[in-house]
Amino acid sequence: MALRDFNAWLGEFRESISSYNYYVDFEKVYRNVDKIKVELNILNSLIGEKDIEQKFLDLVSKYPEVLKCIPLLLAVRQQEIFAMDDKGSFKYSFKVQNVSPEQYSYFMTATGLYDLLSNHIINNLVDYVCGVEVGLDSNGRKNRGGHLMEDLVEEFIKETGKEYYKEMYLTDIEKKWGVDLSSVSSSGKATKRFDFVVKTENQIYVFETNFYASGGSKLNETSRSYKMLSQQIDGSEGVTFIWVTDGLGWKSARKNLEQTFEVMDTIFNIKELEDGILSEVLI
């Protein structure tokens, strides 16, 4: 492999790898709304009602299943909500009725939901909850972001045609191929899971992947720990550690990354994967 320049290598790092479905998983949003669509339509009858409290009590008496929708109207996923004021404290269950209908009605008043419905601030609860779900789904971007890099790297591994495994524990690697990784596991005291493991005729390659769009102290620790991990694995015959990382967040932690880069031949960025580096390395 040709000699690499750290500054040039770091200069290839990317701002983002976000795909179009990274921002909102609309399929998930629609699934969640469909689960309670009937109940939401029943609650729609409260919109614009002047005597909304009595109407609500009548609905809960006739259709108690509408209660399960209420937390989501407050953008809450849990089916139990704790609330307190000068009249006392209550833990409301919206899965199994645990307080009187009148207490649920008080909850609707105190949280502002009656005002939302009776004053026509919204016109349709199905549309409203769809918007709530979009907002809640934005919290899932962190998880989706973590998988974006894994998905990207997996495609390049597939292109090599090599045998590979996802999310494999160190102990499983030892058992499957009879290799000694005690230097990594502290003689079996620690567990470690690798994002990918590639098995070729002559070697086992264990992969870690990550992408950092923004900086932080975590990056320095990540760089140091992977440097140590690489050195530990170097002492294990037949096993090679590969780290694929990218993202402009590394600009704030470049010194620690450079130290790892200088001692680790198998640290790669996305550009190198695109240029076919894995086909050269996985032998």
Side-chain angles (χ1 to χ4, degrees):
M1 189 164 41
L3 186 66
R4 299 182 297 169
D5 176 77
F6 175 76
N7 290 323
W9 181 73
L10 186 65
E12 296 171 338
F13 278 28
R14 306 185 178 189
E15 181 179 357
S16 174
I17 54 171
S18 300
S19 57
Y20 287 100
N21 60 3
Y22 161 75
Y23 299 97
V24 176
D25 184 349
F26 277 108
E27 289 186 6
K28 176 185 172 185
V29 167
Y30 301 147
R31 285 196 307 270
N32 289 344
V33 174
D34 281 342
K35 290 176 184 177
I36 56 172
K37 201 168 189 176
V38 172
E39 291 81 4
L40 289 172
N41 277 312
I42 293 173
L43 284 176
N44 268 337
S45 63
L46 295 176
I47 294 175
E49 277 288 332
K50 298 306 176 186
D51 190 13
I52 193 169
E53 294 184 31
Q54 187 56 51
K55 180 76 172 182
F56 174 79
L57 292 173
D58 293 343
L59 281 183
V60 170
S61 175
K62 192 172 184 180
Y63 306 105
E65 62 271 19
V66 300
L67 288 174
K68 68 182 180 183
C69 302
I70 292 175
L72 204 51
L73 301 184
L74 298 172
V76 175
R77 290 256 186 239
Q78 294 84 357
Q79 285 290 291
E80 289 186 340
I81 295 179
F82 176 85
M84 62 180 291
D85 60 10
D86 56 0
K87 295 187 178 180
S89 60
F90 294 89
K91 188 175 185 179
Y92 297 85
S93 171
F94 294 92
K95 186 176 182 180
V96 178
Q97 188 173 338
N98 70 327
V99 295
S100 68
E102 289 75 18
Q103 189 62 47
Y104 284 112
S105 180
Y106 182 77
F107 179 92
M108 296 288 287
T109 299
T111 57
L113 287 176
Y114 274 160
D115 185 54
L116 177 76
L117 296 168
S118 63
N119 291 322
H120 260 299
I121 296 172
I122 58 172
N123 295 314
N124 186 292
L125 282 173
V126 176
D127 294 342
Y128 171 81
V129 168
C130 188
V132 169
E133 282 287 351
V134 168
L136 289 173
D137 186 67
S138 67
N139 295 327
R141 287 178 192 162
K142 183 176 180 180
N143 291 331
R144 286 196 293 274
H147 290 294
L148 284 175
M149 189 63 168
E150 291 178 20
D151 293 343
L152 187 152
V153 172
E154 185 175 8
E155 290 304 311
F156 288 107
I157 292 175
K158 285 180 180 178
E159 289 178 5
T160 68
K162 304 296 185 183
E163 174 187 355
Y164 80 95
Y165 303 84
K166 292 181 65 174
E167 298 183 345
M168 196 170 190
Y169 282 94
L170 183 150
T171 51
D172 294 326
I173 297 171
E174 291 180 313
K175 291 176 183 176
K176 187 172 182 65
W177 292 295
V179 294
D180 180 12
L181 290 171
S182 57
S183 61
V184 181
S185 66
S186 300
S187 299
K189 296 177 184 177
T191 60
K192 170 66 183 171
R193 187 182 70 178
F194 294 99
D195 291 334
F196 299 100
V197 176
V198 175
K199 178 68 174 72
T200 67
E201 185 176 345
N202 304 309
Q203 195 79 357
I204 298 168
Y205 299 88
V206 293
F207 282 70
E208 284 294 324
T209 68
N210 41 51
F211 185 94
Y212 295 104
S214 57
S217 58
K218 178 183 177 182
L219 277 72
N220 289 323
E221 179 56 36
T222 298
S223 184
R224 283 192 293 265
S225 64
Y226 284 176
K227 177 183 176 181
M228 183 183 299
L229 181 61
S230 176
Q231 292 169 337
Q232 290 171 336
I233 291 178
D234 280 348
S236 302
E237 187 177 352
V239 184
T240 298
F241 175 53
I242 293 178
W243 179 21
V244 183
T245 192
D246 212 305
L248 295 186
W250 280 114
K251 296 291 180 73
S252 66
R254 58 177 295 139
K255 288 185 178 179
N256 277 287
L257 183 62
E258 185 172 10
Q259 290 173 4
T260 303
F261 179 87
E262 289 174 349
V263 300
M264 185 177 174
D265 293 332
T266 51
I267 175 174
F268 305 121
N269 61 25
I270 296 171
K271 178 67 165 54
E272 288 173 301
L273 265 57
E274 292 175 340
D275 291 341
I277 191 67
L278 291 186
S279 294
E280 298 178 25
V281 173
L282 303 180
I283 57 175

